[in-house]
Amino acid sequence: VQLQASGGGLVQAGGSLRLSCLVSARTFSSYAMGWFRQAPGKEREFVAAISWRGASTAYANSVKGRFAVSRDNAKNTVYLQMNSLKPEDTAVYYCAAAFRANPVVPVTTKDEYNYWGQGTLVTVSS
């Protein structure tokens, strides 16, 4: 299973970006998906997740109301729409996949994910 994240870039504070993560898996619909981020000198932290059945979602408090995670099973892709971006959102963003995790509860912990993408850099200028 391979994950390819894209869509990062440089944006001004208050702007928007949409990240995409293409997953090469025959059974993408059976994978819970998540987004994490890592800023320089900091630990990798949870951002958002979506379950593999029912499309339940979960968000870190720091992004709730600004970010939205979604998935398109026909395209093997998960998205992270990021609005009202702040300088503190600057980080490398990683997508991750967990095969047949709890079907309706989003996975929010790093250790439960089996596969990771290479990361895409998001830089928010003030």
Side-chain angles (χ1 to χ4, degrees):
V1 176
Q2 293 185 322
L3 287 71
Q4 180 70 41
S6 61
L10 174 63
V11 63
Q12 287 189 330
S16 298
L17 281 175
R18 188 176 81 156
L19 305 184
S20 300
C21 178
L22 176 63
V23 180
S24 65
R26 295 179 65 182
T27 56
F28 172 72
S29 60
S30 297
Y31 285 82
M33 298 298 301
W35 288 96
F36 291 76
R37 67 186 181 187
Q38 188 166 18
K42 294 190 175 181
E43 299 262 331
R44 191 171 300 189
E45 65 175 4
F46 168 73
V47 175
I50 186 166
S51 64
W52 63 272
R53 183 179 291 176
S56 298
T57 58
Y59 298 94
N61 287 335
S62 58
V63 307
K64 203 170 291 184
R66 300 187 297 122
F67 290 12
V69 60
S70 61
R71 64 189 298 156
D72 185 337
N73 289 340
K75 295 183 178 180
N76 278 28
T77 301
V78 62
Y79 302 98
L80 184 67
Q81 178 66 45
M82 306 186 295
N83 299 325
S84 302
L85 282 161
K86 304 175 180 179
E88 51 263 44
D89 294 319
T90 295
V92 176
Y93 284 71
Y94 298 89
C95 56
F99 182 64
R100 288 195 172 267
N102 186 301
V104 296
V105 177
V107 179
T108 62
T109 55
K110 295 191 297 288
D111 293 345
E112 293 188 73
Y113 283 95
N114 314 107
Y115 305 98
W116 292 82
Q118 86 291 358
T120 185
L121 177 62
V122 172
T123 304
V124 184
S125 63
S126 57

